[in-house]
Structure formats: C-alpha cells, structure tokens
Amino acid sequence: MPESNVNSPALQPDMLHSDVSLRSLNTFGLEAKAERYYRATSVDSLKRILKVEQPSLVLGGGSNLLLTKDVEGLVVHVDIRERRLLQEREGCVLLQAGAGEPWHEYVMHTIAEGYGGLENLSLIPGVVGAAPIQNIGAYGVELKDHFSGLKALNRETLEEEFFDENSCKFGYRASCFKGELKGKYIITHVRFTLTVDHHDHRLNYGDIRSILEKSGKSPSPKSISDAVVAIRSSKLPDPSEIGNSGSFFKNPELSESEFLALQKLRPDLRFYELPENRYKIPAAWLIDQAGWKGHRRGAIGVHDKQALVLVNHGGGKGEDLWALAKEIQQDVEDKFGVKLNPEVNVI
Ligand SMILES: Cc1cc2nc3c(=O)[nH]c(=O)nc-3n(C[C@H](O)[C@H](O)[C@H](O)COP(=O)(O)OP(=O)(O)OC[C@H]3O[C@@H](n4cnc5c(N)ncnc54)[C@H](O)[C@@H]3O)c2cc1C
C-alpha cells in the first residue's frame, strides 16, 4: 500500500483540506480524490464540520469501499479514539470504544485485558465505528453477539443518539445504517459486553479446533485469536500486499423452492441450511464454478485462491473493478439463476 498521508503535517486533523488523494485510505489502493477532506478526532470536531457542510462520504478504515470516481464535496474521516471501561458486572464488563479505534488493535487490547468475546473477529480490517454498519462477522461470531449499544450523531439535528441492539436491526452483513437510516447518522462510539471468565468459546468454524488440538493449547480468547489470525493470514490476501476489500459479494440466501431447482441443475451444489427452510450458498463456489477464479484483466482481477475477493494488482481503476464485478454478477445469474449482491459499498 502507498504511504499513508493522513499524518503528514499538511493534513492535520480537525482541519479542512482540499484535493486530497484517498489512495492510502482505501484497502483496494484505488486512486480517487476528495474535493474536501476532514479528519475528525472528537464529537465536537464532527459537529463543527457538519454545521458547515454535510459529507458526501463518511470514511472509516476504507476496507469495505470501492471508489469508482473522485468524491465531489466533503469526505469526513472519523478518527475518534477512546477505550473505556464503563462497568464491571458479575463475570462480565461493559466497554466503550471510539469509532476511530482500529478494529484488530482493539480486539487485541480486549484480549490483553483478559476479556473474551471478540477473539473470533480478530484481524478484520477497518475501525470500530464501521463494524456495526454491516454487523461484521467471522468464524461463527458476529458483532451483534457482544454488542451493547452505540452512540451516533444525527447528521441533521447534530444530536447524539443512543441505539440499542434492537434499534440497530442487525442481520447478515446488515443493519439499519446500511438500510433505512443509510446516510443519516455518524457512529461515534460502540459498546460491548465481554466476559471476564466462563468464556463462551466458538471453536466449530474453520480449522480453529484442529489448530488448538495440534498445538496442545486449551481454548482461551488468546489461543483462539492466534488460531484465527493464522487461518486468515494463510487464506486471505493481505491488503498491504495486494489491494482488496475482502469478500466482494454476500453469500446469497435462497428459499426452499429456489434451492431445490438449483440443486437439480447442480447436484454438487454447496450450501448451508438456515432456519425457516432457507439455504445459504457460498458465493465463492458460484463464482469459481462460473470460471472466474484467478481471472485477470490488466491491473484488476479475481484472486487466484479466493474467488470472492476482487483485487487491484496495482494501478487499477475503480470503475474497471466495478465493471468486472457487474460482469461476474450477470454471468452467475445467467448460469445459476442466482443474483449476487455486493457486500462492499460502491461509491
Ligand atoms: C482482507 C479483508 C478481510 C475482511 N474480512 C471481513 C470479515 O471476515 N468479516 C466482515 O464482516 N468483513 C470483512 N471485511 C470487510 C471490512 O473489513 C469490514 O466491513 C469493516 O467493518 C469495514 O470497516 P472500515 O472502517 O474499513 O469501513 P469503511 O470501508 O471506511 O466504511 C464502510 C461503510 O461504513 C460507513 N462508515 C464508516 N465509518 C462510519 C461511521 N463512523 N459512521 C457511519 N458510517 C460509517 C462508510 O460510509 C461505508 O459506507 C474484510 C475486508 C478486507 C479488506
């Protein structure tokens, strides 16, 4: 990845800058300019800039974004740092983190403090404030499993509001902030309830259990996190080496009749059963079977080991990546009758 320019003296926080390159601020490493750019390090600073101008884009770690063009108007980069212990209850703690805390570093911090719950979500890129937007998930755990509310700034009224789990309407890679409240709030703080002892370990996903057995380590937040980091590092391309945004599409969910029709066409179909007679199909399998894995078109393409990951080998353009994504989407629909929906936010 190119050198970060965020900390350069020319780009001081809490000040407005013009014509700023966003290349180092998105994990695809795509070139796009922000007409105006403001890095807010506090709620007051956010309020100050919102009084002047509403952002065209709210930016966290840029790891779930496809920038297809320059951003007209203002990019507000939320960089509020805070790590607070709000309450200790029997066997658990209530924590609050600032939206700008880097997610993985924050997970490491909770583990070092002896708290359990977030370990399966280790090594997910991005920052704390964006994690509820798509209810991040990995290895059998979702953000909502340890979520205890969030604080968000209403962009219109500039009031700070509290959202509990119900009001966030979490779903699979979804929340109200990606749905009906999209673009209406800026998340400033997120709260978690984590365990102090009697941790609820989730070992039945990926190779977590077998890695622990091989190493002879008993399950703990630290040993599970180490296993998750090892699995992820061996499977997923590192954005610092090859530009990407993780899974580009969501895994489609089918009704029973849709599923049975597809299974008739492809008896080798991979699937997971969901409640209420619904079925989840791995999007990676569909893309692979459609022949796209490892496809390369100049500087952009599909990763050769992970069909769900679109990549920028260097110097690629966001608009070309989006054109490729749409081609894959159409081809999968033509071949399997299944519509793939992007997980990544396309700008
Ligand atoms: C290699 C790799 C692996 C990944 N693995 C996973 C995985 O296992 N599971 C998973 O769920 N995701 C995964 N992701 C996707 C991504 O890391 C997460 O979605 C992450 O939470 C995005 O955080 P971010 O700070 O980078 O968000 P950004 O990309 O900066 O923003 C994402 C969206 O949230 C909005 N937003 C950001 N901050 C705020 C805020 N404070 N208030 C309101 N809106 C905001 C943005 O406008 C945008 O629409 C992966 C990505 C990569 C590159």
Side-chain angles (χ1 to χ4, degrees):
M1 288 280 289
E3 214 175 274
S4 169
N5 56 6
V6 174
N7 295 318
S8 82
L11 283 179
Q12 279 172 17
D14 308 313
M15 287 180 66
L16 206 48
H17 303 278
S18 309
D19 229 12
V20 170
S21 167
L22 299 175
R23 189 147 76 97
S24 63
L25 301 175
N26 73 99
T27 58
F28 263 126
L30 293 165
E31 185 52 272
K33 283 215 165 105
E35 196 175 354
R36 285 179 291 288
Y37 169 89
Y38 186 93
R39 177 157 64 103
T41 61
S42 67
V43 175
D44 283 346
S45 166
L46 257 184
K47 286 184 182 171
R48 270 201 304 278
I49 190 66
L50 291 180
K51 272 185 198 156
V52 178
E53 187 178 356
Q54 283 291 333
S56 316
L57 172 66
V58 177
L59 184 67
S63 67
N64 205 14
L65 282 184
L66 172 57
L67 296 167
T68 60
K69 53 183 186 303
D70 290 344
V71 182
E72 281 175 27
L74 174 67
V75 172
V76 167
H77 185 175
V78 183
D79 196 17
I80 300 168
R81 307 285 178 121
E82 180 188 292
R83 294 174 179 183
R84 268 172 74 192
L85 170 61
L86 295 182
Q87 226 179 70
E88 287 186 76
R89 303 182 207 141
E90 207 176 305
C92 60
V93 285
L94 177 65
L95 305 178
Q96 175 166 295
E101 289 289 336
W103 177 260
H104 178 66
E105 285 174 32
Y106 187 68
V107 173
M108 293 298 105
H109 158 73
T110 62
I111 292 171
E113 293 291 312
Y115 308 142
L118 301 182
E119 55 276 9
N120 294 51
L121 303 176
S122 297
L123 213 60
I124 296 182
V127 295
V128 164
I133 304 272
Q134 73 154 5
N135 180 28
I136 58 168
Y139 298 94
V141 174
E142 288 183 322
L143 171 103
K144 73 173 175 54
D145 300 336
H146 301 281
F147 177 83
S148 278
L150 61 79
K151 292 204 275 183
L153 202 58
N154 183 317
R155 286 173 54 163
E156 232 169 67
T157 64
L158 301 192
E159 296 290 326
E160 288 172 66
E161 296 179 26
F162 183 79
F163 288 75
D164 63 11
E165 185 183 339
N166 277 343
S167 44
C168 288
K169 298 190 182 156
F170 289 125
Y172 164 57
R173 301 296 173 272
S175 73
C176 64
F177 302 103
K178 234 183 158 175
E180 68 266 30
L181 296 185
K182 190 175 162 94
K184 302 221 178 304
Y185 287 86
I186 298 182
I187 295 171
T188 60
H189 299 87
V190 183
R191 291 182 183 175
F192 304 94
T193 297
L194 302 183
T195 48
V196 175
D197 37 41
H198 303 299
H199 305 300
D200 169 25
H201 299 307
R202 309 271 175 97
L203 308 175
N204 291 331
Y205 292 83
D207 297 328
I208 298 179
R209 189 181 294 280
S210 68
I211 289 183
L212 290 186
E213 278 168 7
K214 266 185 213 148
S215 66
K217 288 185 184 156
S218 52
S220 69
K222 174 78 172 85
S223 66
I224 294 172
S225 168
D226 288 347
V228 168
V229 167
I231 300 167
R232 290 184 69 100
S233 309
S234 71
K235 286 197 171 160
L236 281 171
D238 179 350
S240 66
E241 286 162 15
I242 178 165
N244 76 88
S245 210
S247 304
F248 194 89
F249 297 102
K250 295 192 209 182
N251 292 318
E253 290 184 12
L254 304 185
S255 67
E256 190 168 30
S257 58
E258 290 166 332
F259 168 72
L260 291 173
L262 183 56
Q263 202 183 34
K264 205 167 166 198
L265 179 75
R266 290 296 302 260
D268 57 341
L269 180 66
R270 303 255 175 94
F271 63 92
Y272 309 98
E273 276 188 67
L274 299 174
E276 295 169 11
N277 293 333
R278 293 189 65 79
Y279 295 82
K280 190 181 273 188
I281 313 296
W285 186 84
L286 295 167
I287 297 168
D288 187 6
Q289 294 297 308
W292 289 97
K293 194 170 174 178
H295 174 84
R296 183 157 181 174
R297 185 176 291 171
I300 60 164
V302 181
H303 196 256
D304 55 359
K305 294 198 186 77
Q306 280 294 330
L308 198 47
V309 177
L310 301 192
V311 293
N312 173 19
H313 294 280
K317 290 202 167 119
E319 60 193 279
D320 295 337
L321 258 166
W322 185 219
L324 175 64
K326 284 196 285 193
E327 224 179 290
I328 293 171
Q329 203 178 27
Q330 190 60 57
D331 193 39
V332 166
E333 193 166 358
D334 292 346
K335 286 184 170 132
F336 302 103
V338 176
K339 176 99 196 266
L340 294 179
N341 290 312
E343 178 181 312
V344 168
N345 299 279
V346 182
I347 308 297

